[in-house]
């Protein structure tokens, strides 16, 4: 039977690469994102290029009602869903005191809660014999406390930690694979952030389509964590040898310098503008 | 020497706000053509348009923002071009210059999921030309020029993965798109040249000092591009634009070979005139640009 891949955040660069790769492998697609028009445009491209069925449902995954509705639709589809890819997520980078708390809360709801709710919805009903392949998009940030991205990094730690735990608990029903990529060149601002980090930023950056292919392969084999890129894996290993307090200090200085965020002097604390 | 005996020729040019396109746009206007140019950035289009309209007061000058990276926007752009020309009394498009192109170090996808260089450098010219085909065939005869590059010689169409999801590199994608440009001209001439209503030319502008290679690139590619365009052999975009505008507006001396480098006819790669590949690419492109298909909920 033809299986369906459910992809959240499908209209973004990473989401549309996941959609393209699943379609190229002959999977049908069920796509969601906030903006219906972007989903339609993407669906059109996918259907022209591949012989697959593309369904779509626009919803705001930070909204409780919207999210429950979508989860309900998915539950009805459970038997045909072979993969769930939780891509939806965003960052609000910059000095903490100049962040809008409402935005940070919305970020927590999308980055942490949405994937959890959808996974719950798809695993709580009896499935066919096929394992559900869940791919959760975290970030290299999941491994570190990150100044200027404090809340974001913590949401990604949540994704990593809960995925590894659920992977054990749901064994026999689902496999859970966490993707922990470095920055990806999916949007102009992401590309600018990569360039701002200098040579290291560029060296740790990989093509999205390669990351996606590697991740789907890993998910099909039931692997727990994907860290794309040799250099990223090396940096990650090295960082495990250093206490996280020091890592946080290092990262803070790096981002602070690269993005010219204000020093933490009391006089400037309230003056920091948005990034 | 003009191919147009009376009235002003109506010329459409994409990528008109920078590099070769901008230089060509100025020369087209100085030659007295009515021009609709297309650019990516709204701000640049607006400021260039008001600047040019102040200078060229007796002819049509429009600089229209249009995102050529998706098929529906390109279709909207074609509709806008038709409307503008109709309003100023042009039923025909005499010359279409497909000049806009992008290059990127990283693989970037368009909103439709397509690889950006294939989408902007090849699919957009394919679609825009086909959308304007009725108007082009009313020309004397209509002329389609696609700005390609000598680098098409090292290109290959990746039939199994034209979006280069595997093994993407900027040059591989760029060369593929530029080879696609020449193959597209080959097929256009196959289809329309015998009718006498349309002629397609692939134009190789030489290596110019423009910034296409550094807008969205980084690291070694940016460095190498920088060295190449600053090399003594690099051509001033205006020199290249002069040859392009001659090809657009003047009678082309016989034999009018369809591939031209600057002022002279040249020989394209053999694979770019392969009729089977040309027809195959046309079919693939038509599928990727097919008009709206209902998406079931």
């Amino acid at each position: 039977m033809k299986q369906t891949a459910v992809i959240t955040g499908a209209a973004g660069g990473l989401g549309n690469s996941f959609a393209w790769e699943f379609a190229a492998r002959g999977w049908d697609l069920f796509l969601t994102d906030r903006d219906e028009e972007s989903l339609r445009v993407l669906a059109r491209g996918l259907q022209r290029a591949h012989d697959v069925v593309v369904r779509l449902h626009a919803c705001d995954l930070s909204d409780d009602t919207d999210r429950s509705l979508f989860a309900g639709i998915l539950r009805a589809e459970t038997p045909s869903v072979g993969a769930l890819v939780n891509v939806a997520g965003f960052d609000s980078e910059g000095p903490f005191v100049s962040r809008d708390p409402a935005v940070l809360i919305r970020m927590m709801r999308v980055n942490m809660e949405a994937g959890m709710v959808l996974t719950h919805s798809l695993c709580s009903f009896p499935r066919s014999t096929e394992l559900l392949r869940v791919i959760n998009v975290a970030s290299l940030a999941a491994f570190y406390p990150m100044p200027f991205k404090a809340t974001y990094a913590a949401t990604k730690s949540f994704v990593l930690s809960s995925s590894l735990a659920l992977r054990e608990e749901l064994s026999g029903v689902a496999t859970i694979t966490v993707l922990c990529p470095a920055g990806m060149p999916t949007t102009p601002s992401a590309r600018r952030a990569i360039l701002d980090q200098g040579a290291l930023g560029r060296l740790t950056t990989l093509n999205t389509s390669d990351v996606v292919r590697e991740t789907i392969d890993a998910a099909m084999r039931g692997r727990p964590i994907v860290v794309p890129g040799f250099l990223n894996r090396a940096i990650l290993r090295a960082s495990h040898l250093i206490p996280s307090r020091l890592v946080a200090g290092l990262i803070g200085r790096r981002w602070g310098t690269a993005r010219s965020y204000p020093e933490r002097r009391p006089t400037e604390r309230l003056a920091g503008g948005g990034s | 020497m003009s191919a147009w005996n009376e009235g002003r020729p109506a010329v459409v040019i994409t990528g008109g706000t920078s590099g070769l396109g901008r230089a060509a746009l100025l020369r087209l206007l100085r030659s007295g053509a009515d021009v609709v140019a297309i650019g990516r950035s709204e701000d640049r289009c607006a400021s260039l348009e008001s600047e040019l309209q102040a200078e060229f007061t007796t002819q049509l000058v429009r600089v229209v923002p249009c995102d050529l990276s998706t098929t529906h926007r390109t279709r909207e752009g074609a509709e806008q071009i038709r409307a503008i020309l109709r309003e100023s009394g042009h039923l025909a498009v005499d010359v279409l210059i497909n000049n806009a192109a992008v290059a990127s170090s990283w693989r970037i996808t368009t909103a439709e999921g397509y690889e950006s260089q294939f989408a902007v450098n090849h699919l957009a010219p394919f679609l825009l030309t086909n959308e304007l085909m009725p108007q082009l065939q009313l020309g004397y005869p209509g002329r389609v020029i696609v700005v390609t590059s000598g680098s098409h010689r090292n290109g290959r169409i990746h039939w199994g993965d034209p979006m280069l999801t595997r093994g993407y590199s900027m040059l591989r994608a760029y060369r593929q798109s530029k080879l696609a440009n020449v193959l597209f001209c080959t097929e256009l001439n196959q289809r329309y040249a015998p009718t006498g209503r349309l002629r397609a030319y692939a134009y190789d502008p030489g290596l110019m000092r423009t910034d296409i290679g550094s807008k969205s690139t980084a690291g070694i590619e940016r460095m190498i591009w920088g060295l190449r365009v600053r090399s003594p052999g690099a051509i001033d975009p205006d020199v290249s634009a002069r040859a392009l505008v001659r090809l657009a507006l003047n009678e082309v001396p016989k034999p009018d070979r369809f591939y031209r480098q600057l002022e002279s006819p040249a020989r394209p790669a053999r694979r770019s005139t392969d009729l089977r590949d040309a027809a195959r690419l046309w079919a693939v492109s038509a599928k990727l640009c097919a008009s709206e298909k209902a998406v079931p909920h």
Side-chain angles (χ1 to χ4, degrees), chain B:
Chain B
M1 271 303 278
S2 171
W4 288 271
N5 301 321
E6 49 196 77
R8 299 176 184 284
V11 182
V12 175
I13 181 167
T14 67
T17 55
S18 64
L20 172 65
R22 187 181 176 125
L25 170 57
L26 271 168
R27 284 183 168 272
L28 285 164
L29 291 168
R30 286 196 201 112
S31 307
D34 280 349
V35 187
V36 181
I38 289 208
R40 186 166 23 171
S41 141
E42 261 175 57
D43 292 347
R44 265 189 313 200
C45 284
S47 69
L48 183 60
E49 184 177 79
S50 53
E51 187 185 309
L52 293 176
Q53 281 175 345
E55 190 181 341
F56 300 92
T57 49
T58 57
Q59 66 208 93
L60 173 70
V61 196
R62 292 295 303 276
V63 188
V64 180
C66 173
D67 172 11
L68 294 171
S69 78
T70 60
T71 54
H72 64 288
R73 294 269 178 258
T74 304
R75 282 200 167 85
E76 284 171 17
E79 188 51 57
Q80 244 178 309
I81 291 167
R82 269 193 296 268
I84 290 169
L85 287 176
R86 222 176 10 239
E87 229 168 80
S88 47
H90 287 285
L91 293 177
V93 172
D94 295 298
V95 185
L96 166 62
I97 304 175
N98 290 294
N99 159 71
V102 295
S104 168
S105 280
W106 293 298
R107 185 176 180 278
I108 298 172
T109 48
T110 68
E112 287 168 320
Y114 299 168
E115 187 274 312
S116 64
Q117 295 191 57
F118 192 73
V120 176
N121 302 2
H122 168 60
L123 292 178
F126 174 85
L127 182 56
L128 192 58
T129 305
N130 276 298
E131 285 289 308
L132 296 176
M133 193 55 84
Q135 289 71 38
L136 281 161
Q137 289 185 301
L138 291 174
Y140 298 90
R143 216 168 262 187
V144 175
I145 301 173
V146 185
V147 177
T148 177
S149 148
S151 70
H152 82 271
R153 293 196 170 80
N154 301 312
R156 201 158 76 70
I157 305 292
H158 301 259
W159 298 108
D161 183 23
M163 303 305 171
L164 288 173
T165 62
R166 274 167 200 272
Y168 176 91
S169 80
M170 178 177 92
L171 277 181
R172 181 175 287 180
Y174 191 71
R175 288 165 175 163
Q176 168 176 267
S177 71
K178 293 291 130 183
L179 173 59
N181 290 155
V182 189
L183 281 167
F184 172 48
C185 291
T186 298
E187 181 64 16
L188 269 177
N189 285 328
Q190 280 295 307
R191 287 179 179 233
Y192 296 99
T195 69
R197 299 221 145 274
L198 183 121
R199 178 86 173 133
Y201 297 95
Y203 175 69
D204 169 5
L207 177 68
M208 291 174 298
R209 285 186 289 261
T210 69
D211 62 355
I212 183 176
S214 51
K215 278 178 187 164
S216 191
T217 53
I220 293 168
E221 279 157 344
R222 189 185 195 113
M223 203 179 78
I224 291 175
W225 200 288
L227 289 175
R228 285 186 66 201
V229 301
R230 280 192 299 273
S231 72
I235 302 160
D236 187 299
D238 195 47
V239 171
S240 197
R242 189 176 60 207
L244 174 58
V245 170
R246 280 193 187 141
L247 178 61
L249 298 182
N250 292 4
E251 209 80 65
V252 181
K254 302 279 176 195
D256 66 337
R257 293 265 289 278
F258 88 104
Y259 187 90
R260 320 191 70 87
Q261 185 178 26
L262 294 171
E263 306 277 354
S264 22
R267 203 175 281 283
R270 187 166 296 166
R271 72 185 79 165
S272 70
T273 54
D274 183 306
L275 297 183
R276 272 184 36 209
D277 279 1
R280 188 178 178 189
L281 180 66
W282 184 287
V284 168
S285 312
K287 189 161 180 257
L288 290 170
C289 293
S291 59
E292 194 154 345
K293 197 160 127 189
V295 177
H297 269 278

Side-chain angles (χ1 to χ4, degrees), chain A residues 66-227:
Chain A
D66 252 23
R67 202 159 62 190
S68 310
L69 184 66
F70 182 57
I73 295 170
L74 281 191
R75 195 148 47 225
E77 306 274 328
T78 302
S80 67
V81 176
L84 168 65
V85 190
N86 291 302
V87 181
F90 65 96
D91 186 6
S92 171
E93 187 195 307
F96 176 64
V97 291
S98 62
R99 300 301 89 198
D100 177 352
V103 172
L104 295 181
I105 288 166
R106 210 160 60 76
M107 177 168 82
M108 292 165 74
R109 306 209 59 185
V110 176
N111 294 12
M112 300 194 287
E113 296 177 15
M116 185 264 284
V117 168
L118 299 182
T119 307
H120 187 275
S121 168
L122 280 172
C123 291
S124 56
F125 271 73
R127 299 182 39 78
S128 57
T129 46
E130 292 277 349
L131 287 171
L132 174 70
R133 307 293 178 175
V134 180
I135 295 172
N136 288 330
V137 177
S139 158
L140 268 186
F143 296 100
Y144 318 107
M146 291 189 78
F148 303 111
K149 293 158 97 66
T151 313
Y152 173 79
T155 64
K156 294 303 185 181
S157 292
F158 172 92
V159 171
L160 176 64
S161 165
S162 61
S163 298
L164 292 177
L166 285 178
R167 184 170 171 275
E168 298 302 323
E169 201 181 316
L170 294 174
S171 103
V173 179
T175 63
I176 301 186
T177 301
V178 194
L179 168 62
C180 300
M184 280 191 292
T186 48
T187 61
S189 65
R191 290 191 282 275
R192 206 169 315 118
I194 290 161
L195 293 175
D196 281 351
Q197 291 179 68
L200 191 61
R202 291 199 293 270
L203 285 171
T204 51
T205 303
L206 302 163
N207 275 320
T208 311
S209 55
D210 294 320
V211 169
V212 161
R213 191 171 50 250
E214 186 184 343
T215 306
I216 297 178
D217 287 344
M220 294 306 156
R221 289 199 301 272
R223 294 242 319 273
I225 299 180
V226 179
V227 178

